[in-house]
Amino acid sequence: MREFLVDALLTAGWVLTAHVALFHLVTLLLVLAGARRVWRNRHWRGVEGHDETFASPLTPAVSILVPAHDEEAGILDTLSAALGQKYPALEVVLVDDGSTDRTFALVAARYALREVAPRPTADLPVDGEILSVHRATTGDPLLVLRKHSVGRRSDALNAALNHARHPLVCMVDADSLLETEALLQVSRPFVEDPDNVVAAGGVIRAANGALTDRGTMLEPRLSRRWVVRVQVIEYLRSFLLGRTGWADAQALLIISGAFGLFRRDVVLEVGGMDPNSLAEDAELVVTIQEHLRRRRRPHRVVFVPQTVCWTEVPESWQVLGRQRKRWSHGLGQLLWKHRRMIGNPRYGPIGVLALPFFLLFELLGPVVEIVGVAAVVTSMVLGLVEPAIAGAVLVLAIALGVLLSATAIAVEELTYHRYGRGRDLLGLMAAALVEHLWFRWAHSWYRLRGLVAALTRRSPVWTAMPRVGFSGHPASAGRPVPADVLVPAERLVPVGS
């Protein structure tokens, strides 16, 4: 029995070492591939290319879909940014998904909403009853749906898809700010390759701590909260480099729900958003690629590193834990639903590269890390492993992680240089170290809980993240609505008037 225990402990330690080494090797390759692409794209024809896309008759119109539940803290900023896009033809479809705060009241006042008769353009199933449909009378291309909430973001998005009118749909979170030319940049692949490009994603960055004004990013700043800072590092490594590398390998698995552009006809063809998924953004991307692969239809899912969407990230460990548990639960649902794709060459790089990676390192990674660390500590206590050797392996793992994060920071500084203050750069470097000394292990615990929830088939529960709002927003902290957003009640005209 003792020999078996010793062998099991040593094996677990070696498995952990191999897992960490392989994970960092694959991630390093992705980061280097992404860095090469970002570096090349920094010479892209910026304003000239934007003007060509703006003036091209081939640039398709876009419907921006914004699901919102209790988003009074930042909804006006989000709408200002969406409606202020430099784009030839767009509309914004906001879904007030059973908000209990002043979300609808603020929007109704600012845009002088008028109730209109519903004119759906599709018939995707929606569980929450549509209560009313409103249109802005201020000249803005804004449509607002009010519906009962069933606790699922996907239900609100399906309602928005049913009322969208344009060939492209852009899904945006209600706590996000799009930069002025974000749509122009992310839509360019659809103009250049309209027959094959079916989806495109863009870079997401954390807005916490930044200075904004009515939906415009004035100055990106690093938050003082360490829980936010480590997420900034994550987003740089994941969005700026990681997903760029996956896209170049034609194996992009995730387009963030905070900002993604899709061909509406293809989304409707696969039945819209999965109402039972906690990872509806990744679920849609994988479902589209599975659907088109099975029918042998050529397609491309691309990532555009220039586009930027600023979004609010969790500001407390408790909220972050709930978010990451939900993400891991959703990933487990996705991998189980599409298990026939894993390792299957029929589905190309996404089947033989992306899905196995997410299974081994994202879903099962927490198990290997937690069990492996426990085994190494136990081996040290029993004298089976020299503390110096275990310490060296731990230092090497931390060093590799910090190297990857530092690479992401360096690429950001050498290309886009969003953070202009020197202390922000120092804060990012410090966060790269903190991430691997503390955050990584807390993150593994959150993900492990999500895996357990997926394995036990617990009913999916989506909980809204508490919003802080963007700096200077008048609706934050419960302050009264200022006079400039108030309109007389008689301007809210009902149907038939």
Side-chain angles (χ1 to χ4, degrees), residues 361-414:
F361 297 109
E362 296 295 339
L363 187 66
L364 300 180
V367 177
V368 176
E369 292 174 3
I370 293 176
V371 173
V373 169
V376 170
V377 172
T378 304
S379 299
M380 290 172 56
V381 172
L382 297 177
L384 302 176
V385 175
E386 291 292 333
I389 296 177
V393 172
L394 177 62
V395 170
L396 178 61
I398 293 175
L400 288 174
V402 173
L403 175 62
L404 290 174
S405 298
T407 302
I409 296 171
V411 173
E412 147 66 21
E413 285 298 306
L414 292 173

Side-chain angles (χ1 to χ4, degrees), residues 415-444:
T415 53
Y416 302 113
H417 191 56
R418 294 283 182 169
Y419 296 98
R421 302 187 303 176
R423 62 182 179 181
D424 286 344
L425 179 58
L426 293 176
L428 286 174
M429 293 303 298
L433 182 60
V434 170
E435 177 188 14
H436 294 281
L437 289 176
W438 161 246
F439 174 77
R440 180 179 181 86
W441 308 110
H443 192 204
S444 293

Side-chain angles (χ1 to χ4, degrees), residues 208-210 221-226 228-229 232 315 424:
N208 306 54
R221 289 185 178 181
L222 193 63
S223 171
R224 295 181 179 180
R225 295 177 179 267
W226 286 104
V228 174
R229 291 183 174 191
V232 172
E315 293 211 338
D424 286 344

